[in-house]
Amino acid sequence: MATSKTLGESLRQHGVSRRGFLKFCAATASMMALPPSMAPAIAQALEKARRPSVIWLSFQECTGCTESLTRSFSPTVENLIFDVISLDYHHTLQAAAGDAAEHAREQAMNSNAGEYLVVVDGSLPGPKANPGYSTIAGISNYDMLMDTIDGAAAVVAVGTCAAFGGLPKADPNPTGAVSVQDLVKDKPVINVSGCPPVPMVITGVLAQFLTFGTIPELDEYGRPRAFFGQSIHDRCYRRPFYDKGKFAESFDDEGAKAGWCLYRLGCKGPMTYNACATMKWNGGASWPVEAGYPCLGCSEPDFWDAGGFYKALSVPTGSPGDVLLTAGAVGAAVGVGAGLMSRNQGKQAAKHHDKVTADQLEEKL
């Protein structure tokens, strides 16, 4: 359970020097889009902060969000944060099982009432759906969530499944999947979307809560604006090629080898808001677009049903698609137009995925 030690004391116990602690605070300020002058204030707040109890619930998900989080490289903010929180319940990482696991969850709730954080990854079958679609220890996802958040200070929905329903909610949504924010109305909910999300975005939210006891500024989708305030397109290193009208036409042509824009190969960067291009993955080594793969728009609501992944910017029904496909001629104007359409009409995106039956699939194998 959560310890009485302060975060500063725990860091020193883990061998973090005062100099290292201040570097950590400066990195935390930068991660939360705060000026460097805020580092001393963060240091003072964290020095006195107590280790918070965190209960992590996994529902209809693929464990990709946990996999993302554990792929951190030392020494990083992720490591330091997770060395000093009390992760009291996590289906994948905990050693306990059966009754002992559920006892740990209940004890964490009772011992830290009103102060613990609940992290959720995965969507849930809605309250009107068959509860047997997804259960843990014989408890439906819905009942476990409602029980656990009762004494929580805040809820963090990690990954697009938890934030917006994700893949389980994709048409035809057989389990009646809903997002966390569809169900939780009396607690603050922070959406950290992405399939999976960037690890430092998750820990950045925790750092904000640890430092100030408040949730970060959120956008219209409930996401931290510091990380989701700009589009992939605006941060992308391939943007100059877009502006010059230089596009890869296939994954192995000369344009692709030269690092040209992947817009015509289906990149959804103009309509996707995330920090992938700046924070990257695997210790800042790379990210999908840098590896030659177009952005799928996975941090946006209903991205799975928003059109073909490899079609040039699947756009809302009724939009002038032919105009969009002339990006080589109109350059940046297309990005602006596509971004506006995404914001204003994204919920009515056309469903262009080809449907296939089990029999048809078997014929192709």
Side-chain angles (χ1 to χ4, degrees), residues 25 41 85 96 161 178 289 315 320-321 363:
C25 295
I85 69 169
C161 290
V178 296
V289 172
V315 295
E363 291 174 1

Side-chain angles (χ1 to χ4, degrees), residues 59-60 123-125 134-136 139-145:
F59 296 135
Q60 292 188 135
S123 63
L124 304 80
S134 184
T135 65
I136 299 163
I139 306 170
S140 72
N141 289 175
Y142 175 80
D143 288 342
M144 180 172 283
L145 176 66

